[in-house]
């Protein structure tokens, strides 16, 4: 990914020259003329929609797109899965230069700065605010503020993205059977995590707690901000070389050295990987922080040689209630400038359809992705899902959804800036080098601060 975006940055000038601005691609129509054509006159328009959705979840999204075309029979959507997010980004980046991008796609937050700088995507705020096809202030207020703030954060006074229905966050996953046997409840703060981990390790001889490294920066980012570090300020300034960051690192490293904490790659069953779930099911840890959307991979299967126990899910522990924070994860939609105004209007209508509460219930229940609005949460069928009983097919998805929704008021997002992808990778490398390789944390943080 890093190499692809570096290449893309080098080709920005080339694209800017060949594109001749966005007005040429958009044709002569104004937005109002396009709305008249697509919405009122119902003139035919064809758009393409690329996604990076897993094969298991793709059919649910495909069904939503097909329903959209039934509601808007004059709009044809060429919908296709481009593989994993990294594969999707590679294809988008290549096609931007050749001006053969799709009309709409989901893209990673870290990709937005490069695409905005090149003029590859369009500002969606005019569509969002339009009286005919946009949202009223009341309707916009229904969406969770964190997601709207994120898509408006890329450039002041704009909205270059829109939150997808592919959102998740980290949660605490724990061996509920073991906890119940000891009369314990899920820890709510890091002091409790350390205390319980010490007790578990002393009883079992096994490190009790792990933090996934699939998102390499997740542990340090969350802990350092909970400890009081600015991390990355709203204007994209990196600020990680500070006392709070060092204290957060020391907290985890001290518990690692004592044998109470671990990382996925150190667990025998993980085979050097970044996920704790395999080791968790084998009894190689008793609780871990990982992505809510991955809960199904943490459920033990005795036929596969896993331990037999009930799984519990809880919000991410906090340092204290005064500085509570956790991060949302997931892509945002972007509409590409290599499109006509009619196509942009049609793409916006598709985005709105994919964001409507009544269209998302099956998607959320079957995939474990999280709602982005209050009305989505309040859908009667979704409320019934949240109350799922143990033993039901959706029970564990309901557990992670409830834990995630309980953190909605403290949810924040990654600040995207020009070097945010490289920065994220450097943080992940730093975390492992300190925790596993014995690198000096102060020197490592100072180097990152100076680089960015």
């Amino acid at each position: 990914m890093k190499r692809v975006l570096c290449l893309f940055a080098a080709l920005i000038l080339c694209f800017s020259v060949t594109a001749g601005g966005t007005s040429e691609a958009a044709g002569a129509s104004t937005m109002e003329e396009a709305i008249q054509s697509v919405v009122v006159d119902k003139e035919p328009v064809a758009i393409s929609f690329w996604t990076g959705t897993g094969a298991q979840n793709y059919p649910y999204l495909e069904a939503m797109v097909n329903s959209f075309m039934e509601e808007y029979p004059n709009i044809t959507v060429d919908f296709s899965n481009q593989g994993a997010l990294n594969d999707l980004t590679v294809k988008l980046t290549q096609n931007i230069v050749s001006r053969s991008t799709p009309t709409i796609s989901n893209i990673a937050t870290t990709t937005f700065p490069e695409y905005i700088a090149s003029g590859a995507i369009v500002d969606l705020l005019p569509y969002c605010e339009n009286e005919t096809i946009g949202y009223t202030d009341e309707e916009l207020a229904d969406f969770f503020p964190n997601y709207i703030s994120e898509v408006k954060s890329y450039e002041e006074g704009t909205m270059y993205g829109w939150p997808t229905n592919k959102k998740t966050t980290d949660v605490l996953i724990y061996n509920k059977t073991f906890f119940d046997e000891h009369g314990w409840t899920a820890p709510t703060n890091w002091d409790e995590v350390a205390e319980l981990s010490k007790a578990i390790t002393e009883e079992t001889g096994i490190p009790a707690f792990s933090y996934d490294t699939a998102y390499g920066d997740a542990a340090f980012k969350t802990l350092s901000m909970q400890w009081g570090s600015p991390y990355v300020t709203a204007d994209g300034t990196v600020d990680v070389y500070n006392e709070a960051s060092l204290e957060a690192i020391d907290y985890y490293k001290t518990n690692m050295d004592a044998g109470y904490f671990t990382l996925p790659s150190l667990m025998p069953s993980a085979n050097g990987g970044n996920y704790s779930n395999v080791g968790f099911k084998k009894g190689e840890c008793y609780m871990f922080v990982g992505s809510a959307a991955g809960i199904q991979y943490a459920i033990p299967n005795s036929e596969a040689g896993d331990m037999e126990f009930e799984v519990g899910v809880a919000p991410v522990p906090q340092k204290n209630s005064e500085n509570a924070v956790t991060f949302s994860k997931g892509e945002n939609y972007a509409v590409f400038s290599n499109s006509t105004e009619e196509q942009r209007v049609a793409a916006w209508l598709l985005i709105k359809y994919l964001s409507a509460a009544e269209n998302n219930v099956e998607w959320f229940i079957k995939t474990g992705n999280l709602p982005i609005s209050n009305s989505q949460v309040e859908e009667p069928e979704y409320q019934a899902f949240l109350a799922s009983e143990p033993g039901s097919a959706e029970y564990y998805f309901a557990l992670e959804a409830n834990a995630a929704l309980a953190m909605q008021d403290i949810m924040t997002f990654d600040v995207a800036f020009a070097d945010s992808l490289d920065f994220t990778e450097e943080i992940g490398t730093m975390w492992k080098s300190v925790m596993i390789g014995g690198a000096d944390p102060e020197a490592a943080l100072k180097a990152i601060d100076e680089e960015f």
Side-chain angles (χ1 to χ4, degrees), residues 35-45 71-75:
I35 292 172
Q36 176 69 32
S37 173
V38 176
V39 179
V40 180
D41 299 337
K42 302 189 183 304
E43 294 291 333
V45 58
E71 183 162 325
Y72 294 91
N74 62 313
I75 300 176

Side-chain angles (χ1 to χ4, degrees), residues 42 68 82 102 141 176 238 249-250 259 278-279 294 303 340 394 407:
K42 302 189 183 304
F68 168 79
Q82 301 296 321
K176 187 174 186 297
V238 171
I249 289 176
D250 182 68
V278 176
E303 295 181 0
T340 66
E394 294 85 18
M407 297 185 289

Side-chain angles (χ1 to χ4, degrees), residues 13-208:
L13 179 59
C14 173
F15 171 75
S16 299
V17 171
T18 58
T22 58
S23 59
E24 180 183 347
S29 297
T30 65
M31 181 172 67
E32 291 302 330
E33 290 170 340
I35 292 172
Q36 176 69 32
S37 173
V38 176
V39 179
V40 180
D41 299 337
K42 302 189 183 304
E43 294 291 333
V45 58
I47 62 175
S48 53
F49 176 20
W50 286 7
T51 185
T53 300
Q56 184 176 348
N57 294 343
Y58 179 80
Y60 301 109
L61 191 56
E62 183 180 38
M64 294 172 69
V65 173
N66 289 338
S67 295
F68 168 79
M69 287 190 285
E70 291 178 5
E71 183 162 325
Y72 294 91
N74 62 313
I75 300 176
T76 302
V77 183
D78 181 9
F79 181 51
S80 60
N81 197 355
Q82 301 296 321
L85 182 60
N86 281 3
D87 297 328
L88 170 64
T89 305
V90 169
K91 294 174 184 178
L92 288 172
T93 300
Q94 292 170 341
N95 287 347
I96 283 172
V97 180
S98 62
R99 300 183 66 193
S100 55
T101 52
T103 315
I104 177 178
S105 180
N106 55 294
I107 65 176
T109 297
T110 51
T111 310
F112 273 88
E114 287 87 354
Y115 284 11
I116 293 170
S118 72
I121 58 178
V122 301
D123 179 11
L124 297 178
L125 192 60
Y127 304 87
C128 181
E129 294 181 340
N130 183 269
E131 291 185 358
T132 303
I133 62 172
Y135 289 108
T136 66
D137 290 343
E138 182 179 1
E139 290 171 334
L140 195 60
D142 178 53
F143 292 94
F144 294 136
N146 174 63
Y147 298 131
I148 302 302
S149 296
E150 180 180 17
V151 295
K152 288 185 174 183
S153 71
Y154 302 125
E155 188 174 285
E156 187 174 357
T158 66
M159 193 183 75
Y160 274 95
W162 182 262
T164 67
N165 51 12
K166 294 177 60 183
K167 296 295 187 180
T168 188
T169 188
D170 280 340
V171 292
L172 177 74
I173 298 171
Y174 64 100
N175 184 326
K176 187 174 186 297
T177 298
F178 187 87
F179 274 55
D180 288 349
E181 289 172 350
H182 289 74
W184 299 336
T185 56
T188 60
N189 61 63
W190 290 109
D191 287 340
E192 292 175 354
V193 173
E195 181 181 349
L196 289 173
S197 295
K198 181 177 184 294
I200 292 170
T201 300
E202 289 177 349
E203 177 180 339
T204 66
I206 301 296

